Amino acid sequence: MNSRRDFLQKLGLSALALQLAPLSGWAAGADNVEPPYDGPLLRVAILGLGGYGTMVAEAMRKCTKAKLVGVVSGTPSKVKAWQSKYGIPEKNCYNYENFDNIKNNPDIDAVYVITPNGLHHDFVIRTAAAGKHAICEKPMAVNAQEGQAMVDACKKANVKLLVGYRMHFEPKTLEVIRMRQSGEFGKIRFFQGQCGFTIGDPTQWRLNKKLAGGGSMMDIGIYAINGARYMTGEEPIWVTAQETKTDPVKFKEGVDETIQFQFGFPSGAVASCLSTYNMNNLDRFFLDGEKGFAEMQPSTGYGPIRGRTHLGELNLPVTTHQTVQMDEMSEIIFNNKKPVVPVNGEEAVKDLKIIDAIYLAVKTGKKVEVSL
Ligand code: NDP
């Protein structure tokens, strides 16, 4: 998975460089060059210096409105390495025991929690108690009840809670949403979301119920759920789901290998999705309306995202998702900017309620009604 993602990331960055080269040349000679940003910088500490935390840190080098200034880690050697790599001062370094002291640090605005899913809840609650804004990776929690507690804690502490839904800032995704909103697809009838890869090492936390909260559904099925919502612009009112398990040793009780699930929407539109840890080449969205369609493949990888509609290929800039996400989050936190698709805790609780309903539908074999 990592090597696939690394490859996609490299592809994304080089495509970005190619795309920006002629653009910046053009802008240099133009009158309408944007003035350099001189607003507040969102000063972020990353908590959990693993694979994705590293990717976010690298992407943040290019941010103009946010900056990596601190770390929280259980691994002292990583802290040292990150300090020298990103110029992080000793006073902005914490471990999981002394993390609560961050409340006395005026040089950190937000903590970005990038740990295994099962730990998000406690770390976000501690972040809120320290009076810092919380940014949390997906899935925000392992069930809706935990997620709601996180929303409540952040509200009570008067800090923002945002979730790393990087696709909510991706240009081709936003273009499809714009086309749907302006009626270019006509009445939406169907969404299909397929998310999957073959997972390796059986000892990793993603296959540990306590740390992951489930299996593929928690990790990547959530992209299809979230995509079904932002692509159709509707919230599901019922869910059905079926699980297939071919390897009960690797995928233990409570860790789903493959789940197919279906949604019904108030308009009568339906969705059919698949989430799996046991198939490759699955990263595809398809949206069908009475007047047209959109197909995205890859639809949620690190990029470049590719998409076409009934009108042809979508040609929009390739971005580094995490760079844009962090700059936009700075705007959300400091200027109350409203993104086209929300990335707040309430949005994440909706996804978690749907995940709860999917697991219930698998268990009971029944159609489960959802109210978001
Ligand atoms: P990793 O295993 O690579 O890193 C997790 C880090 O969390 C560890 O390196 C460690 O950092 C810290 N940690 C704290 N406690 C534990 C523990 N008990 N077991 C393992 N690690 C622990 O995971 P990822 O970075 O791939 O995933 C982290 C989160 O990011 C997940 O919620 C995942 O869903 C999300 N993610 C989101 C992506 C996106 O595109 N939005 C993509 C990939 C992941 P340290 O050593 O510093 O303590």
Side-chain angles (χ1 to χ4, degrees), residues 49 51-52 73-75 78 96 117 137-138 166 205-206:
L49 313 182
Y52 194 62
S73 171
T75 313
K78 288 188 196 169
Y96 300 132
N117 313 335
E137 256 318 309
K138 46 55 55 178
R166 58 187 165 75
W205 68 259
R206 281 183 167 79

